[in-house]
């Protein structure tokens, strides 16, 4: 663990323990004591979510108290052996929490969360180079079932048809249902090629070559029959389809909007403070 992370955890623990153990005038019963620190029953208010059983509630409380005790023991020992003054770090941490809470409040007030399909498409078209695939994806339907089933031959004929459409998907799903097969039938969804390989034991040393040559797959092992129809594919380093990236792009657009809101907020607040004469910069320039 890095020194920075250790210091951060110590600061957080200090804040939590001091807030829970040294509140003046707290007359509620003490539920735990470690050296000069006390955890009161009032500190546990709101800890247990509504609707929990009595046993689960006790478990939540016990876990919290156990954690508090362990942290208090460590902190008490650390205080006796670490002479560093963390008042500055604590103040900076508190400041960052206050600023974060205020920025979240402003974002909640001003953020336009509506992202249209047209905006997503525009962003996609302008940034296609940012959406290169790291691995192959496919549109496919696949199924597997008993190798001795009388339906195997018909399933093989269906997935091998030169023209394959939604009616074929429906026919496969019905055959599977009647004959104890399981499978995936949403041909509109892009899935990782590795997902298909996990479901159907196929080996592709060269994915691009395999996908180009195999529109249909049908074979059996000792106990199971496997079949698949690959309707479309994209290999690694090709541009990812828009429908795969829609949620990602929506998040990117919203994040850009948040950044714009915060940048404007910071600029406006600085301008307001300077205009009111509340900013005095005493740093001398060479």
């Amino acid at each position: 663990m890095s020194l920075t992370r250790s210091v951060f955890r110590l600061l957080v623990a200090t804040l939590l323990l001091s807030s829970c153990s040294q509140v003046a005038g707290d007359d509620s019963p003490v539920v735990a004591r470690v050296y000069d620190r006390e955890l009161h029953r009032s500190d546990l208010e709101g800890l247990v979510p509504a609707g929990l059983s009595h046993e689960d509630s006790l478990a939540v409380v016990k876990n919290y108290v156990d954690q508090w005790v362990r942290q208090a023991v460590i902190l008490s020992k650390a205080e006796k052996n670490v002479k560093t003054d963390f008042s500055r770090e604590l103040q900076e941490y508190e400041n960052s929490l206050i600023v974060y809470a205020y920025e979240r409040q402003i974002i909640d007030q001003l953020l336009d969360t509506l992202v249209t399909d047209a905006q997503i498409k525009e962003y996609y078209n302008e940034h296609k180079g940012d959406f290169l695939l790291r691995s192959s994806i496919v549109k496919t339907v696949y199924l597997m079932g008993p190798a001795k089933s009388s339906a195997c031959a018909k399933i093989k004929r269906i997935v091998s048809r030169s023209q394959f459409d939604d009616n074929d998907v429906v026919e496969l799903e019905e055959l599977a249902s009647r004959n104890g097969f399981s499978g995936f039938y949403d041909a509109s969804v892009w899935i990782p090629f590795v997902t298909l390989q996990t479901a159907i034991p196929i080996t592709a040393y060269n994915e691009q070559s395999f996908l180009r040559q195999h529109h249909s797959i049908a074979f059996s092992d000792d106990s199971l029959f496997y079949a698949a129809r690959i309707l479309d594919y994209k290999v690694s380093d090709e541009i990812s389809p828009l429908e795969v990236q829609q949620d990602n792009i929506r998040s990117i657009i919203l994040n850009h909007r948040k950044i714009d809101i915060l940048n404007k907020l910071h600029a406006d607040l600085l301008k307001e403070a300077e205009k009111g004469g509340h900013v005095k910069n005493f740093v001398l320039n060479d």
Side-chain angles (χ1 to χ4, degrees):
M1 181 181 295
S2 68
L3 178 59
T4 301
R5 184 174 298 178
S6 299
V7 170
F8 176 78
R9 290 187 62 182
L10 181 59
L11 295 178
V12 174
T14 303
L15 286 173
L16 292 175
L17 288 169
S18 62
S19 65
C20 287
S21 60
Q22 297 177 355
V23 178
D26 190 344
D27 296 326
S28 64
V30 174
V31 296
R33 181 181 291 110
V34 173
Y35 297 108
D36 59 344
R37 286 184 165 80
E38 292 180 342
L39 181 68
H40 292 258
R41 180 173 295 175
S42 60
D43 297 321
L44 306 179
E45 292 178 1
L47 177 66
V48 179
L52 285 186
S53 67
H54 179 67
E55 291 76 10
D56 289 340
S57 298
L58 287 177
V60 169
V61 171
K62 182 180 184 304
N63 181 67
Y64 180 86
V65 174
D66 289 345
Q67 292 285 349
W68 183 92
V69 168
R70 282 194 290 269
Q71 194 66 61
V73 168
I74 295 171
L75 184 58
S76 296
K77 185 68 171 180
E79 284 178 335
K80 294 178 180 179
N81 290 274
V82 177
K83 304 306 181 183
T84 306
D85 181 7
F86 290 109
S87 57
R88 179 178 177 181
E89 288 86 351
L90 286 168
Q91 185 61 56
E92 290 177 350
Y93 179 62
E94 181 179 2
N95 291 344
S96 68
L97 289 177
I98 294 172
V99 169
Y100 176 78
Y102 177 63
E103 290 178 342
R104 289 304 313 168
Q105 178 180 323
I106 298 301
I107 288 174
D108 290 342
Q109 292 173 359
L110 300 180
L111 179 63
D112 178 8
T113 58
L114 176 62
V115 181
T116 66
D117 291 340
Q119 290 170 329
I120 292 175
K121 185 175 181 180
E122 179 183 7
Y123 187 93
Y124 174 80
N125 289 332
E126 292 177 355
H127 301 84
K128 284 186 177 180
D130 296 338
F131 303 112
L132 298 181
L133 290 168
R134 296 182 179 180
S135 57
S136 301
I137 58 175
V138 293
K139 282 185 176 181
T140 183
V141 295
Y142 60 82
L143 60 164
M144 67 288 295
K148 296 181 180 180
S149 172
S150 60
C152 294
K154 189 169 184 179
I155 290 173
K156 182 176 181 179
R157 286 197 300 271
I158 294 173
V159 299
S160 302
R161 287 172 180 167
S162 57
Q163 299 296 322
F164 189 90
D165 56 29
D166 292 342
N167 292 328
D168 298 309
V169 177
V170 172
E171 189 174 0
L172 283 175
E173 193 167 3
E174 291 175 347
L175 272 172
S177 178
R178 293 197 303 267
N179 292 277
F181 281 66
S182 60
F184 176 80
Y185 308 102
D186 192 345
S188 66
V189 176
W190 289 96
I191 65 172
F193 179 50
V194 68
T195 300
L196 176 61
Q197 291 180 288
T198 300
I200 295 180
I202 53 178
T203 301
Y205 297 106
N206 185 311
E207 292 184 359
Q208 183 173 3
S209 176
F210 180 91
L211 292 169
R212 184 173 61 248
Q213 297 175 20
H214 295 83
H215 298 300
S216 64
I217 301 167
F219 66 92
S220 60
D221 57 22
D222 293 338
S223 58
L224 291 175
F225 173 79
Y226 306 92
R229 177 65 179 239
I230 298 175
L231 301 156
D232 200 358
Y233 68 89
K234 299 283 185 183
V235 297
S236 58
D237 293 330
E238 284 191 300
I239 296 173
S240 180
L242 172 59
E243 55 264 43
V244 174
Q245 297 297 332
Q246 280 183 322
D247 290 342
N248 183 30
I249 294 174
R250 181 176 289 103
S251 297
I252 292 172
I253 292 174
L254 289 176
N255 190 55
H256 285 176
R257 291 178 184 176
K258 293 176 184 178
I259 292 173
D260 290 341
I261 289 172
L262 293 180
N263 286 340
K264 186 177 185 305
L265 172 67
H266 297 166
D268 289 347
L269 291 178
L270 179 59
K271 183 177 180 181
E272 177 185 339
E274 289 176 338
K275 185 177 180 180
H278 303 298
V279 176
K280 303 295 182 183
N281 191 335
F282 300 104
V283 176
L284 298 178
N285 296 320
D286 295 333

